[in-house]
Amino acid sequence: MILYHGSSMAVERPKLIHQPRGLDFGAGFYLTSSEEQARRFSRIVCNRNRQGVPAVSIFDFDLGEALRRLVVMQFSGADAEWLRFVLENRMKTYSGEAYDVVSGAVANDNVMPTIQALLGGFLTEEAALVALKTKKLVDQYCLKSEAALALLRFVRAYEVEEA
Protein backbone atom coordinates (compact mmCIF):
# COMPACT_ATOMS: atom_id res chain seq x y z
CA MET A 1 0.00 0.00 0.00
CA ILE A 2 1.17 3.54 -0.73
CA LEU A 3 1.61 5.82 2.29
CA TYR A 4 2.72 9.44 2.58
CA HIS A 5 4.85 11.26 5.16
CA GLY A 6 4.70 15.05 5.42
CA SER A 7 7.69 16.83 6.94
CA SER A 8 10.01 19.82 6.66
CA MET A 9 12.36 17.75 4.47
CA ALA A 10 12.36 14.69 2.27
CA VAL A 11 12.78 11.50 4.32
CA GLU A 12 14.36 8.59 2.47
CA ARG A 13 15.45 6.62 5.54
CA PRO A 14 12.86 6.89 8.34
CA LYS A 15 14.02 6.76 11.94
CA LEU A 16 12.21 6.28 15.21
CA ILE A 17 12.51 9.61 17.01
CA HIS A 18 10.94 10.14 20.42
CA GLN A 19 9.03 13.39 20.62
CA PRO A 20 8.87 15.47 23.79
CA ARG A 21 5.13 16.01 23.26
CA GLY A 22 2.45 13.35 23.36
CA LEU A 23 1.24 12.14 19.96
CA ASP A 24 -1.96 10.27 19.06
CA PHE A 25 -0.38 6.83 18.92
CA GLY A 26 2.80 7.54 20.87
CA ALA A 27 6.34 7.76 19.55
CA GLY A 28 6.98 6.46 16.06
CA PHE A 29 7.18 7.31 12.37
CA TYR A 30 3.81 8.63 11.15
CA LEU A 31 2.32 8.21 7.69
CA THR A 32 -1.10 8.50 6.07
CA SER A 33 -2.86 7.13 3.00
CA SER A 34 -4.02 10.70 2.27
CA GLU A 35 -1.55 12.61 0.14
CA GLU A 36 -3.44 15.84 0.89
CA GLN A 37 -3.12 15.24 4.66
CA ALA A 38 0.65 14.72 4.24
CA ARG A 39 0.88 17.94 2.21
CA ARG A 40 -1.01 19.87 4.91
CA PHE A 41 1.13 18.39 7.66
CA SER A 42 4.37 19.27 5.84
CA ARG A 43 3.32 22.93 5.92
CA ILE A 44 2.35 22.69 9.60
CA VAL A 45 5.74 21.22 10.52
CA CYS A 46 7.61 23.95 8.66
CA ASN A 47 5.51 26.68 10.27
CA ARG A 48 5.90 25.13 13.73
CA ASN A 49 9.68 24.72 13.44
CA ARG A 50 10.19 27.87 11.33
CA GLN A 51 12.66 26.02 9.15
CA GLY A 52 12.90 23.53 6.32
CA VAL A 53 10.95 23.08 3.12
CA PRO A 54 7.54 21.36 3.08
CA ALA A 55 8.01 17.94 1.52
CA VAL A 56 6.07 14.73 1.06
CA SER A 57 7.89 11.41 1.04
CA ILE A 58 6.11 8.48 -0.58
CA PHE A 59 6.55 4.92 0.62
CA ASP A 60 5.28 1.48 -0.24
CA PHE A 61 4.33 -0.37 2.96
CA ASP A 62 3.77 -4.12 3.12
CA LEU A 63 0.73 -4.18 5.42
CA GLY A 64 0.10 -7.86 4.72
CA GLU A 65 3.55 -8.78 5.96
CA ALA A 66 3.10 -6.52 8.99
CA LEU A 67 -0.16 -8.29 9.86
CA ARG A 68 1.54 -11.69 9.53
CA ARG A 69 4.72 -10.95 11.50
CA LEU A 70 4.19 -7.96 13.78
CA VAL A 71 1.95 -6.79 16.60
CA VAL A 72 -0.55 -4.50 14.88
CA MET A 73 -3.42 -2.46 16.32
CA GLN A 74 -5.95 -1.26 13.75
CA PHE A 75 -8.71 1.05 14.92
CA SER A 76 -11.71 0.91 12.59
CA GLY A 77 -13.02 4.34 13.58
CA ALA A 78 -13.18 7.00 16.25
CA ASP A 79 -14.73 4.77 18.90
CA ALA A 80 -14.28 4.70 22.69
CA GLU A 81 -11.24 2.40 22.49
CA TRP A 82 -9.54 4.72 19.97
CA LEU A 83 -10.39 7.80 22.02
CA ARG A 84 -8.94 6.33 25.25
CA PHE A 85 -5.80 5.20 23.40
CA VAL A 86 -5.28 8.68 21.89
CA LEU A 87 -5.91 10.42 25.22
CA GLU A 88 -3.47 8.18 27.10
CA ASN A 89 -0.79 8.67 24.43
CA ARG A 90 -1.33 12.43 24.28
CA MET A 91 -1.05 12.62 28.08
CA LYS A 92 1.92 10.17 27.97
CA THR A 93 0.21 7.81 30.40
CA TYR A 94 -0.29 4.81 28.08
CA SER A 95 0.97 1.61 29.71
CA GLY A 96 -0.78 -1.07 27.66
CA GLU A 97 0.51 -3.48 25.05
CA ALA A 98 3.47 -2.45 22.91
CA TYR A 99 2.66 -2.40 19.19
CA ASP A 100 4.86 -2.39 16.10
CA VAL A 101 2.18 -0.65 14.03
CA VAL A 102 -0.90 1.34 15.02
CA SER A 103 -3.41 2.63 12.47
CA GLY A 104 -6.60 4.59 12.80
CA ALA A 105 -8.08 8.06 12.63
CA VAL A 106 -5.89 11.10 13.14
CA ALA A 107 -6.82 13.60 15.85
CA ASN A 108 -6.13 16.57 13.58
CA ASP A 109 -7.04 20.25 13.99
CA ASN A 110 -10.75 19.46 13.45
CA VAL A 111 -10.73 16.87 16.23
CA MET A 112 -8.47 18.50 18.82
CA PRO A 113 -11.05 20.97 20.22
CA THR A 114 -13.28 18.00 21.07
CA ILE A 115 -10.42 16.14 22.73
CA GLN A 116 -9.36 19.26 24.64
CA ALA A 117 -12.95 19.76 25.84
CA LEU A 118 -12.98 16.15 27.04
CA LEU A 119 -9.64 16.56 28.82
CA GLY A 120 -10.88 19.80 30.41
CA GLY A 121 -13.99 18.11 31.75
CA PHE A 122 -16.36 20.09 29.51
CA LEU A 123 -17.51 16.98 27.62
CA THR A 124 -18.17 13.42 28.67
CA GLU A 125 -16.63 10.58 26.67
CA GLU A 126 -20.05 9.83 25.19
CA ALA A 127 -20.58 13.45 24.09
CA ALA A 128 -17.06 13.57 22.63
CA LEU A 129 -17.73 10.43 20.58
CA VAL A 130 -20.99 11.92 19.25
CA ALA A 131 -19.14 15.12 18.29
CA LEU A 132 -16.36 13.13 16.59
CA LYS A 133 -18.88 11.29 14.40
CA THR A 134 -19.60 14.61 12.65
CA LYS A 135 -15.93 15.12 11.71
CA LYS A 136 -14.26 13.90 8.55
CA LEU A 137 -11.37 11.84 9.91
CA VAL A 138 -8.23 11.05 7.94
CA ASP A 139 -6.19 7.93 8.69
CA GLN A 140 -2.70 7.63 10.09
CA TYR A 141 -0.20 4.81 10.46
CA CYS A 142 2.37 4.93 13.23
CA LEU A 143 5.34 2.60 12.79
CA LYS A 144 6.76 2.04 16.25
CA SER A 145 9.57 -0.48 15.76
CA GLU A 146 12.57 -1.14 13.55
CA ALA A 147 10.79 -4.28 12.32
CA ALA A 148 7.90 -2.12 11.10
CA LEU A 149 10.25 0.40 9.45
CA ALA A 150 11.92 -2.49 7.60
CA LEU A 151 8.62 -3.06 5.74
CA LEU A 152 8.73 0.44 4.20
CA ARG A 153 10.22 1.00 0.76
CA PHE A 154 11.01 4.58 -0.24
CA VAL A 155 9.46 5.47 -3.60
CA ARG A 156 10.16 9.17 -4.05
CA ALA A 157 9.76 12.59 -2.45
CA TYR A 158 8.74 16.04 -3.64
CA GLU A 159 8.60 19.58 -2.31
CA VAL A 160 5.15 20.97 -1.57
CA GLU A 161 4.27 24.27 -3.17
CA GLU A 162 3.10 26.99 -0.83
CA ALA A 163 -0.67 27.23 -0.45
Side-chain angles (χ1 to χ4, degrees):
M1 80 184 307
I2 297 297
L3 296 175
Y4 305 91
H5 174 79
S7 186
S8 59
M9 68 181 99
V11 176
E12 290 185 36
R13 292 182 194 91
K15 296 178 184 170
L16 298 174
I17 300 172
H18 292 281
Q19 297 286 331
R21 66 188 217 283
L23 303 173
D24 290 357
F25 297 158
F29 185 72
Y30 281 78
L31 305 111
T32 178
S33 67
S34 167
E35 186 172 8
E36 184 52 40
Q37 172 70 10
R39 293 169 63 86
R40 269 193 311 270
F41 191 73
S42 71
R43 291 185 192 107
I44 289 169
V45 170
C46 283
N47 288 336
R48 181 186 305 144
N49 297 337
R50 295 192 172 127
Q51 65 181 12
V53 176
V56 171
S57 301
I58 304 169
F59 295 90
D60 186 25
F61 180 62
D62 192 339
L63 181 60
E65 190 65 18
L67 290 169
R68 281 188 289 280
R69 295 188 319 145
L70 305 176
V71 181
V72 178
M73 167 57 86
Q74 293 181 295
F75 292 101
S76 59
D79 59 13
E81 183 182 19
W82 170 85
L83 182 58
R84 285 186 212 109
F85 189 81
V86 168
L87 289 175
E88 288 176 10
N89 277 290
R90 287 226 166 215
M91 294 185 306
K92 294 188 139 196
T93 61
Y94 179 74
S95 61
E97 184 171 0
Y99 297 103
D100 295 297
V101 179
V102 179
S103 68
V106 59
N108 61 16
D109 293 343
N110 295 328
V111 175
M112 281 314 297
T114 301
I115 289 179
Q116 289 169 335
L118 175 62
L119 287 171
F122 299 106
L123 283 179
T124 64
E125 184 178 281
E126 295 77 22
L129 288 168
V130 169
L132 289 172
K133 289 190 187 318
T134 67
K135 309 289 185 198
K136 182 180 183 296
L137 303 176
V138 179
D139 68 7
Q140 63 184 337
Y141 292 77
C142 179
L143 308 188
K144 303 174 70 61
S145 70
E146 293 296 332
L149 288 180
L151 298 177
L152 272 182
R153 185 182 59 80
F154 177 76
V155 175
R156 69 181 180 89
Y158 65 90
E159 289 184 10
V160 175
E161 296 174 15
E162 294 299 318

